[in-house]
Amino acid sequence: MIGVDVGGTFTDVVSITDGKVAVTKVPSSRTDPAGSVVEGARRLGVDESAVFNHASTMGLNAVLERRLPKVGLLTTEGFRDVLDRGSVHRPLSAQTDPSWRRSFGDAARPLVPRYLRRGVVERKTADGATLIELDEAQAREQIELLGRCGVEGVAICLINAYVDDSHEQRLRELVREILGDGVEVSLSAATSPLAKEYERASTTVIDVVMKLLFSDYAGQLHSELGGLGFTGQLNFADCAANLLPWQEALERPFRILFAGPAAGTVSSGHLGQAIGRRDILCADVGGTSTDVSIIVDGAPFVQNTFEIEHDLIINALSTEVSSVGAGGGSLVTVSSSGGILVGPGSAGAEPGPACYGRGGTEPTVTDAALLIGILDPAGFAGGEFELDAEASRRAFESLDTPVPFEERVRTAYRLAVAHMAEEILNVAVRHGVDIRDFSLMAYGAAGGMLLPAALDLLPLKEVVIPPHPGLFSAIGLLSADQVYYEAESAYVVFGPDTAAGIDEVYTRMEERLRARLGAAAEGLPVRRSFDGRLVGQSWETPFVQIPAGAITAESIAEVVAGFHDSYELRNGNRFDAFPVEGVTYRVELVVPSEKVSYEPAPEVEPFPAVPEGTTTLRHLSAEPIEAEWFSRAALEVGATVTGPAVIREELSTTFVAAGQTATAGRCGELIITSRSDA
């Protein structure tokens, strides 16, 4: 089995053969992203692998940076500005700011410029009736205009098409006839057949963009892996870390926009189950950001939508992830008053931190860790290249600030940790949990380097550094199943008189799903859920589970009670007297996959580990500190390390601060506690 997580800085590749784990990191390439994946596969060998599971932030980064192909939008006349308006929600910080504008609006960086958003004369009503027939002559004029503008793809999103898509189907035929088969087309009714036109429109635009970005990439990847002897199944992970065969993923590629962080959450839950931790805060510290998620009683929170920028909403099943612009590559800058700032800007992979020696001149958190002495300049990224401490020193010295050099380095490190700790606390508070009951799973290449210091800021139970933390998200791809789903929308108040119609919707979707999978669906149980709301609300409670069996006038009461239970769990209140309205209905089929297995070693009494040497830590305090360093590979189960200490491994480093103790666990994890709690 091979798992690959393509990040903005590094491409992480992990292979598991006969229980043996092999890992490698390859610098990501913006110009040839598939090349980095293939190089990692070549290093580890793929000819005997049955599966190759892939997650990437390539599409997300392209959207965030607006490195997008030219696409057009065809929508109902009068609705061309729906992408500019969004859902009209402002962030709290902008409530009283008259100059605030959406990042994706026409005044900023639109996904589709207004001249490429064309209105078509037609109108369907909410019950699917035709109010205005499609004006094909006028539609041809709009499509021909898009052709003269040189669009590479067309998103089609008509009002109420989720009820009746006949006009969208006809528009696709006209696009094919006028612009040819070389132009990609996405229909909202096929991409996201759900209510609420803005979310459906934004999802459809992202889908056609992803088709243009991923089609050649996936084809190149499949071909070049075949050239290395790979004959197994290539899967892409979606935003909830569910796996899909690559051809199916490309049918609706908006689902694979943002997979890496979800894979890390799945990986955390899988390891947590093995080591007896069911309440986990997950923090993936990468080069650009830290992605935080939460697992309560062994299950992550999964949403039916997510935002990639404020109010830029995608209708995709996704693990709930919150990000903060603080990571190993976060830039250290100076405020207008001369103070030190960290993030949200990042050095990325090219040129990277100053110490990479690739042309970067601005200091980063990684440069601070190197100057402190946490990082070994000769052992970084498995010896991929040697870090240049003098370049880091010059970068910090170049900052235009009266702050002394030592304070610049110390503040950069501490600010990065503080930003991450704040976001971890925010996630815990939003979910109403007691952070003292939670373990923090710290991973990503910089997770062990930074997050144990969060124990000084947050009353966490412990910090867990998993095996191979720099590739933990890639390992999560080998802990996931293939999941297929169908969804439909209809506003229906649940009651005895509507039960038969609701049951018919689920039966229809299940039949379609089983037909898609064919023989692979035999014997697999279907999971049914719905997104519902109290009548009068404008937002839904997602993923309310429906019990097995037919939905009848008698059993509908059990479904309604299940909604109230889910509502209370998420919101802390219960309103049994209010009727329940269903909005979106969903069926899922799970095809079990082979997974990573953790075999706990026998439990032993803790004993002091033997250090392999000493190192000097500078800038953390007024005087240099002598610390011991250890090789993680040499730490046996039960070995304890007392801080200050550095634990080194091939692709990551863990810093155990003074007052902390690290213990090697039974599944290869490191458990770090404050000395008083050890």
Side-chain angles (χ1 to χ4, degrees):
M1 300 187 294
I2 289 185
V4 175
D5 180 20
V6 184
T9 305
F10 284 102
T11 294
D12 301 335
V13 188
V14 58
S15 171
I16 300 179
T17 306
D18 298 328
K20 296 180 180 178
V21 179
V23 298
T24 189
K25 271 184 178 288
V26 183
S28 298
S29 170
R30 178 173 292 185
T31 56
D32 182 21
S36 302
V37 178
V38 173
E39 171 58 20
R42 185 196 61 76
R43 293 182 186 181
L44 299 184
V46 294
D47 52 316
E48 297 182 3
S49 293
V51 294
F52 193 102
N53 297 337
H54 173 285
S56 174
T57 59
M58 180 180 72
L60 175 67
N61 292 338
V63 173
L64 294 178
E65 299 170 19
R66 297 299 190 270
R67 294 182 287 106
L68 302 175
K70 181 183 283 190
V71 300
L73 171 68
L74 293 177
T75 188
T76 304
E77 189 173 56
F79 288 85
R80 65 189 294 201
D81 291 323
V82 67
L83 285 181
D84 182 45
R85 292 195 303 269
S87 65
V88 202
H89 291 162
R90 280 174 169 251
L92 184 62
S93 59
Q95 292 296 311
T96 59
D97 181 3
S99 65
W100 180 83
R101 296 291 184 274
R102 281 172 180 73
S103 61
F104 57 86
D106 289 344
R109 305 181 302 158
L111 299 178
V112 183
R114 193 171 193 271
Y115 77 97
L116 294 178
R117 305 196 303 260
R118 313 306 302 177
V120 175
V121 174
E122 70 84 42
R123 187 63 185 262
K124 291 283 184 178
T125 61
D127 61 2
T130 300
L131 181 65
I132 302 174
E133 290 287 354
L134 175 65
D135 187 335
E136 292 197 9
Q138 187 263 353
R140 285 177 179 274
E141 293 176 358
Q142 303 304 318
I143 296 169
E144 289 168 355
L145 185 152
L146 293 178
R148 292 195 297 273
C149 292
V151 298
E152 302 171 59
V154 177
I156 302 175
C157 182
L158 303 179
I159 300 305
N160 296 322
Y162 69 94
V163 182
D164 183 339
D165 66 348
S166 57
H167 286 177
E168 285 195 349
Q169 294 284 357
R170 180 53 183 154
L171 282 176
R172 177 168 58 184
E173 294 173 359
L174 292 175
V175 170
R176 290 275 183 257
E177 175 187 329
I178 297 168
L179 303 184
D181 293 337
V183 173
E184 293 284 0
V185 180
S186 289
L187 304 185
S188 75
T191 300
S192 178
L194 309 177
K196 299 184 178 178
E197 55 268 15
Y198 163 61
E199 290 87 343
R200 188 156 44 90
S202 62
T203 302
T204 307
V205 168
I206 292 295
D207 188 70
V208 78
V209 166
M210 293 300 105
K211 284 179 179 177
L212 291 164
L213 292 176
F214 272 97
S215 293
D216 290 343
Y217 169 85
Q220 177 189 348
L221 189 59
H222 183 257
S223 174
E224 295 190 16
L225 289 176
L228 295 176
F230 176 68
T231 58
Q233 176 64 56
L234 172 61
N235 295 314
F236 279 23
D238 70 8
C239 300
N242 299 319
L243 301 174
L244 294 165
W246 71 279
Q247 299 95 329
E248 175 147 343
L250 291 184
E251 291 177 7
R252 288 185 282 180
F254 73 93
R255 297 175 295 179
I256 63 175
L257 178 71
F258 191 38
T265 307
V266 169
S267 198
S268 297
H270 195 57
L271 176 60
Q273 184 177 12
I275 65 175
R277 270 68 170 179
R278 295 182 61 80
D279 294 323
I280 304 170
L281 284 157
C282 315
D284 182 359
V285 186
T288 302
S289 65
T290 295
D291 300 316
V292 182
S293 54
I294 188 170
I295 295 173
V296 177
D297 196 23
F301 280 83
V302 178
Q303 301 286 17
N304 55 351
T305 65
F306 69 95
E307 292 182 335
I308 52 179
E309 295 174 9
H310 173 74
D311 210 24
L312 181 47
I313 301 171
I314 307 299
N315 280 336
L317 302 188
S318 60
T319 301
E320 185 180 300
V321 176
S322 179
S323 297
V324 61
S330 292
L331 294 174
V332 180
T333 56
V334 178
S335 70
S336 58
S337 61
I340 299 298
L341 301 174
V342 173
S346 173
E350 299 169 358
C355 60
Y356 281 16
R358 296 177 174 174
T361 58
E362 296 180 89
T364 67
V365 175
T366 297
D367 292 300
L370 177 62
L371 291 172
I372 289 170
I374 297 171
L375 293 177
D376 175 14
F380 186 75
E384 188 78 27
F385 50 84
E386 187 165 345
L387 299 180
D388 185 351
E390 283 305 311
S392 297
R393 179 173 294 277
R394 290 193 299 271
F396 270 97
E397 288 175 343
S398 70
L399 293 175
D400 184 14
T401 175
V403 177
F405 179 84
E406 292 77 8
E407 188 68 24
R408 299 177 193 185
V409 177
R410 177 166 56 250
T411 301
Y413 183 85
R414 290 180 175 174
L415 269 180
V417 174
H419 290 333
M420 297 172 191
E422 182 180 20
E423 191 59 32
I424 291 165
L425 180 61
N426 287 341
V427 169
V429 169
R430 282 200 298 270
H431 287 277
V433 301
D434 188 340
I435 198 170
R436 294 172 296 183
D437 298 331
F438 278 71
S439 303
L440 175 64
M441 191 77 70
Y443 51 98
M449 179 178 79
L450 295 166
L451 282 176
L455 283 173
D456 295 335
L457 304 175
L458 300 173
L460 290 155
K461 181 177 170 183
E462 62 195 4
V463 173
V464 179
I465 311 297
H468 310 290
L471 298 103
F472 196 54
S473 291
I475 292 174
L477 296 172
L478 303 178
S479 307
D481 291 313
Q482 287 189 350
V483 178
Y484 300 80
Y485 68 88
E486 290 275 342
E488 288 187 14
S489 276
Y491 294 100
V492 178
V493 177
F494 282 20
D497 56 333
T498 59
I502 296 168
D503 188 71
E504 183 181 337
V505 170
Y506 280 110
T507 300
R508 181 171 65 245
M509 289 193 295
E510 182 177 346
E511 289 174 351
R512 286 205 308 264
L513 197 54
R514 292 191 182 278
R516 267 173 57 197
L517 269 68
E522 292 182 9
L524 295 178
V526 66
R527 296 192 309 210
R528 303 181 299 176
S529 64
F530 73 97
D531 305 338
R533 61 191 185 183
L534 302 174
V535 169
Q537 286 181 328
S538 60
W539 51 273
E540 293 85 49
T541 298
F543 294 100
V544 179
Q545 298 301 310
I546 290 186
I551 301 172
T552 64
E554 292 73 28
S555 66
I556 193 72
E558 185 179 356
V559 175
V560 170
F563 169 85
H564 290 301
D565 291 341
S566 296
Y567 188 97
E568 184 177 20
L569 180 65
R570 282 181 174 263
N571 303 298
N573 292 306
R574 188 181 186 97
F575 302 98
D576 289 299
F578 281 75
V580 173
E581 184 177 40
V583 177
T584 299
Y585 314 90
R586 189 178 297 104
V587 294
E588 298 172 282
L589 278 174
V590 178
V591 181
S593 302
E594 184 182 0
K595 296 181 178 64
V596 172
S597 61
Y598 292 101
E599 300 296 335
E603 193 168 355
V604 300
E605 287 295 319
F607 62 91
V610 178
E612 305 213 6
T614 60
T615 186
T616 302
L617 302 177
R618 297 179 172 83
H619 313 308
L620 285 178
S621 61
E623 299 295 330
I625 303 170
E626 289 300 310
E628 296 174 327
W629 73 267
F630 301 79
S631 170
R632 184 167 183 178
L635 295 179
E636 299 180 357
V637 176
T640 61
V641 172
T642 301
V646 176
I647 302 173
R648 294 171 178 163
E649 56 187 296
E650 187 177 9
L651 297 174
S652 189
T653 300
T654 298
F655 175 48
V656 184
Q660 297 177 352
T661 299
T663 303
R666 298 170 61 197
C667 291
E669 77 281 6
L670 293 174
I671 300 175
I672 302 174
T673 57
S674 294
R675 188 81 51 80
S676 59
D677 300 330

